[in-house]
Amino acid sequence: MQGQTKIQERLRGIQSLIHEIEEARNHSETGINKLTQNNNPSTIKQAMQDAEKEERLIRQALSKIYEIHNIRNESRIHARNSGQKEMLRKGQLMKMLQISAQTLPLFVSKPGEKVPQLVGCIPANAEYTGKAGDMVAALTKVVDKGSDEENWIMAEVISYSHHTQKYEVHDIDEEQKPRHILSKRRVIPLPLYRANPETDIHALFPKGTVVMALYPQTTCFYKAIINDLPANAKQDYEVLFEDSTYANGYSDPMYVPQRFVISIKQRKS
Amino acid sequence: MAEKGSGKRFTKGKGKVMTSKSSPESVEPSSPIIPHIRCQENAEQLPKYHAALSRASTGELPPDDLEHIQAELETLLSTVALRYRVLKSELESNDSRRSKNLDRAPISRRGGASLIPTTVNNSGKPRKFSANSPLNHPPTKISKLKNSSASPAPSQHTDDSSDVSSHNPKHIYHRNDTPNKFWLSIEPFTVPISQDDIRLLDVLLDEYAGTLAPQIPELGPHYATTWGIEDVKEEQDTNNQQQIVKGKKPNGQQNGDVMRVLRNSKKMGEGITGPFTQRLVSALMEENLINDGHHHPTATSTTTTTTSTENSNSSLENIPNNTNMVHTRSATNLLKNGIAAERRIRKELIEQGILEAKDVTSSGEGQEDIDEVLTEVQKVRSDLIAIAESNTSQLTTLKEVAHNELKRLEIKRKLDDVDHEIVEQTKRVQLAKQKGRSLSKSERDEILRLIEKQRKLSNELDNLHLPGYTTNFLT
């Protein structure tokens, strides 16, 4: 398989990069030790150079990892298009979602760099259109007992037609009606990068923001309030879901990964 | 705030691996913490990264480690990016301290190296904030966030490092979907039974309602006519072709005869002649057709054996040898004499010493039809009957079980409803408790009624035989 060899190539690349990174880190460490004794500008500059090198190598390694994710995703889409049905139990699906949220690339800005769209809480530009395989929140009608309820579901973009300005999306929960054709305004792309709380905290929703968040163990987005922010790249938002069954109108704190928290969209009507 | 985060239930969250570290003995009051993960701490903080280092640089990273490596590299990246920012602000503050007043520097540049914990955050932020002003985050919020991310670092990294190792096993993901396929294939067999299933059983049972196996036709018309006609037609088709070439006189007549004889034999078959006669007739006809001649060895031999059998004999003899005149007579002759023809032939054969009397009596009158084919057919038929009987009984058992299961499902459904109602009631009670309101009598009664109903249904369910227990029908 071609995809497999591509992945292997990258795995080898990562392995050798790790050794290079370690070398750079050793070098940095010596510089840092020097710094603690003597923090004159030249040692600081030297340490900065070391850090730059280290950062560049780590970014290289990470980009290879992200490439592997992309290759896998592409082969998955390819497999689906060629008619191989994905068979997923609910639990498996949830696990996959969780992993996908964890392995969503981390955006770490360089000093002075502007955080681009679809990183953390930064929404997509108006002209942005998702490509096939992207995850989105899609507002779909629930055809259930004649009720006219609408739900934000988690879906995957199949295609976008510039002509009709409509998305074709695939409900990731296979049990439901799988395909929907939806106008662009009913589709919100999910972030393509996690924001790094340690360097780009402004790319996270501030505490108290009303957002749409994926309710744990479901594939639907509901209104929630940010209760706490992740302290580092691996943590999740702590949110309170709007829930009328609780006395104060909000659920107990729940944890939702960055990928599944999006800014609320004003509903027409 | 952020301390909560470290103790979360994230399966993914290994907590904070990144540490802000500088060797404690050398910390000066004014020097910032330099974010750094020591290489010595690799094994503890970055286990998969550490494991990768133990492999040769020319090797290949195990794909299963990818997620962990990603997380660890991201931690490293975040740390190094932070370090760069800290160093940069440090450099700037150094510059400013040198060129300007020492006191003013930290104020003018908010990222000054004055306070140990805040430097980490401040250093990166002011720049960021100005660069990203279109994001419109109110400054107040940011200051809050600053605090939140500033405070956790020291307290978190102790328990988080242990998190790293404890969470690792959870990250072994199954990439193949064999279990999914398996469970999907199982699913159809585990869905609740429905009326449709019962209907299917009824249809199947209906199929076994009549006779369990096809009857064996009596020797006679079935073999003589059906098989005979088939053979004859086949012959005719080939013969017709030949006739066109040869000129049709003899064959044409003959074929006509054959058909008539066959028709006669059909009539005969209706209980007048015995099976042997019929077989003999058809055999003779076949001989004739194949040999195409009027006289041939078999025909003459039959003639010799049948000479003594008077009328019936003559009719038999005439079928192959003579033409239309004879066969019209033969039918009537057979009608008159055919009934006892076989018996008479047998009798004469015994008289002439050709057949042993023993053979006749041993085969007997009742068993005269028995031959190898018939015994085989009978054997197979009895097997068929046995299978059909077993099928019927299995189906009946299955239907019974299905009915029971339906009953059980119905009770279970009711029980679920009651359960649901009870949950609703519980919520209401909790709400009432929260508001400090006591329950009214009707509410109490309702709860008691529901619980009683639940108990009743549950007992009912227990008393039913669950399908799992009635395995005997399968054995």
Side-chain angles (χ1 to χ4, degrees), chain B residues 38-52:
Chain B
R38 291 175 151 207
C39 294
Q40 293 166 353
E41 288 169 11
N42 279 352
E44 191 193 345
Q45 307 256 6
L46 312 161
K48 292 291 175 186
Y49 175 87
H50 183 68

Side-chain angles (χ1 to χ4, degrees), chain B residues 186-220:
Chain B
I186 292 295
E187 217 168 61
F189 301 99
T190 56
V191 290
I193 201 164
S194 71
Q195 280 295 341
D196 286 345
D197 300 310
I198 301 240
R199 240 168 275 144
L200 175 70
L201 284 175
D202 281 337
V203 171
L204 288 176
L205 270 173
D206 279 349
E207 280 176 24
Y208 288 105
T211 45
L212 296 179
Q215 291 293 337
I216 303 174
E218 292 262 317
L219 266 182

Side-chain angles (χ1 to χ4, degrees), chain A residues 98 102 194 198 234 255, chain B residues 1 9 11-12 74 78:
Chain A
Q98 205 183 31
Q102 281 164 33
R194 284 176 291 149
E198 286 161 338
K234 281 181 233 122
Y255 298 96
Chain B
M1 280 159 77
R9 49 85 244 189
T11 49
K12 68 161 212 174
E74 282 171 352
S78 179

